[in-house]
Amino acid sequence: DTRAAMNTGHAKTKVGILDSEVNLMSKILFGVTLALSLAMVALDGFKAVWYITLFRFLILFSSIIPISLRVNLDMGKSFYSLAIERDAEIPGSVVRNSMIPEELGRIEYCLTDKTGTLTRNEMEMKRIHIGVMAYTSETSDEVTRHVRTYLHDRGIGADSGSAEGGAAASRTGAVLAKSHGKARRDMPQRVFDIAEALALCHNVTPAAEDTADVDAAGDAADGAPTHDGRLGVAVARPMAYQASSPDEVALVKWTEQIGVVLAERTLSSITLRLDALIPASQGGHGTAPTLAYDILHVFPFTSESKRMGIIVRCRTTGEIHFVQKGADAVMARIV
């Protein structure tokens, strides 16, 4: 039957396994009671009106069937449902059916998809492998140090508002372009490349959270020109992300954790804020340089290709990058 045809029928009443087992045992005990009553009548020789004697023995043996067990079970289920709703370890739980709470103790496997049908589906980045190295959420400081080392070696972080800063930005663009060549890459460059790729290849929309302590600084720092290839400057502030897939949000939050923040995204551009360059003494507050990218084309994720890609042009270097990500079975044949 199709799902539409199944939905046209009446919903079946949910009956727990325990209730089914009690019903079966009650039927078996009733059969035992009837057999004992017949045996007692047979021993008496089926004298006179023997069926009246049969009913008498049925009444005498009726205590074999635990009728009060049903009442006790219903009372226990009601108490169990109330205890679930008031459990401090699972706040917000609502019991909508008090007939089957004991079924929770019989669950061995919970099968679900990734869409959050049965769960809240809050995903976190736990581990990333870069070459022969593996980094976890506990080693994010080491990843941030690699990113900071790479940016400092490339001269990123100079004052883009002065003439000297403009010359430094020009040198930065040349060094960045050279570093993306085919030469052997060191670990800081590998780490930055993977952070840059994860921060660019997605469909996440960022939104700056409104905080009173950074609004004034943001008015002074945001809006620095980046279309001419110079490094922009933006104030560091908490970000919120929206996306159709929690996987992508988890990846973007990881790049934010290591200091490469998705600061802005439009239909034609992406801006990354390099919070890794903010001194630790400032506690994550202050201004940070930004890298702007023009979005040339987006290849959306499909169930057939099992991957997505994006083509961007870095305004600082003028280089065009094609970044893609997808299922390991598909990407293994590409990389």
Side-chain angles (χ1 to χ4, degrees):
D1 293 336
T2 62
R3 179 175 295 182
M6 295 175 63
N7 291 335
T8 57
H10 295 287
K12 296 181 180 179
T13 302
K14 294 183 178 180
V15 180
I17 299 177
L18 183 60
D19 290 331
S20 300
E21 293 174 348
V22 171
N23 291 338
L24 178 61
M25 294 301 298
S26 300
K27 294 176 183 177
I28 294 175
L29 291 176
F30 175 76
V32 172
T33 303
L34 181 60
L36 288 175
S37 300
L38 286 172
M40 297 302 293
V41 173
L43 292 175
D44 193 35
F46 292 96
K47 297 178 181 179
V49 283
W50 61 270
Y51 52 89
I52 295 179
T53 305
L54 176 64
F55 277 107
R56 287 176 179 173
F57 282 114
L58 284 175
I59 295 173
L60 289 174
F61 293 138
S62 62
S63 59
I64 296 178
I65 304 175
I67 301 177
S68 61
L69 178 61
R70 175 67 61 184
V71 179
N72 294 334
L73 284 177
D74 291 340
M75 293 180 61
K77 291 178 181 180
S78 300
F79 176 78
Y80 191 22
S81 302
L82 183 62
I84 291 175
E85 290 188 340
R86 296 188 176 183
D87 194 341
E89 296 185 1
I90 47 175
S93 300
V94 178
V95 178
R96 304 187 185 278
N97 190 332
S98 62
M99 295 298 296
I100 55 174
E102 75 281 354
E103 297 297 310
L104 295 174
R106 297 176 179 266
I107 295 177
E108 295 184 2
Y109 302 98
C110 182
L111 304 179
T112 179
D113 54 8
K114 297 196 305 179
T115 58
T117 305
L118 301 180
T119 63
R120 294 181 64 181
N121 208 2
E122 294 182 356
M123 306 189 70
E124 295 182 1
M125 182 76 162
K126 289 296 185 181
R127 182 184 297 269
I128 184 170
H129 290 264
I130 305 176
V132 296
M133 298 295 297
Y135 299 96
T136 63
S137 56
E138 289 77 13
T139 59
S140 59
D141 293 340
E142 182 179 354
V143 180
T144 304
R145 185 168 60 253
H146 282 311
V147 173
R148 186 182 301 113
T149 300
Y150 172 82
L151 295 176
H152 283 162
D153 291 344
R154 270 64 186 176
I156 299 179
D159 185 9
S160 61
S162 61
E164 182 178 333
S170 300
R171 293 194 302 271
T172 297
V175 175
L176 278 173
K178 183 179 180 180
S179 65
H180 282 95
K182 295 184 179 180
R184 183 177 180 86
R185 299 177 300 171
D186 55 4
M187 183 54 64
Q189 182 176 349
R190 289 185 179 183
V191 171
F192 179 80
D193 287 347
I194 191 66
E196 182 185 34
L198 294 178
L200 292 175
C201 187
H202 52 71
N203 289 314
V204 179
T205 301
E209 297 181 358
D210 294 332
T211 52
D213 57 341
V214 298
D215 284 344
D219 294 339
D222 286 347
T226 58
H227 290 276
D228 57 357
R230 298 169 59 185
L231 293 173
V233 178
V235 64
R237 64 182 68 194
M239 304 297 296
Y241 304 103
Q242 295 180 351
S244 58
S245 172
D247 305 37
E248 293 190 330
V249 175
L251 294 177
V252 173
K253 284 185 177 180
W254 180 78
T255 63
E256 178 183 14
Q257 185 180 0
I258 64 174
V260 182
V261 184
L262 176 64
E264 182 181 2
R265 176 173 184 147
T266 64
L267 294 177
S268 59
S269 65
I270 295 178
T271 302
L272 302 182
R273 192 179 69 236
L274 305 178
D275 287 2
L277 294 176
I278 298 178
S281 59
Q282 297 184 13
H285 301 286
T287 58
T290 60
L291 292 175
Y293 302 82
D294 294 319
I295 300 177
L296 304 182
H297 191 74
V298 176
F299 300 92
F301 178 88
T302 62
S303 57
E304 291 78 15
S305 63
K306 296 182 180 180
R307 63 181 183 270
M308 73 159 294
I310 187 171
I311 301 177
V312 297
R313 179 175 54 235
C314 180
R315 295 177 183 172
T316 304
T317 65
E319 279 192 331
I320 296 178
H321 304 285
F322 173 43
V323 185
Q324 64 174 335
K325 65 178 181 181
D328 51 357
V330 176
M331 299 303 297
R333 299 194 301 264
I334 298 176
V335 300

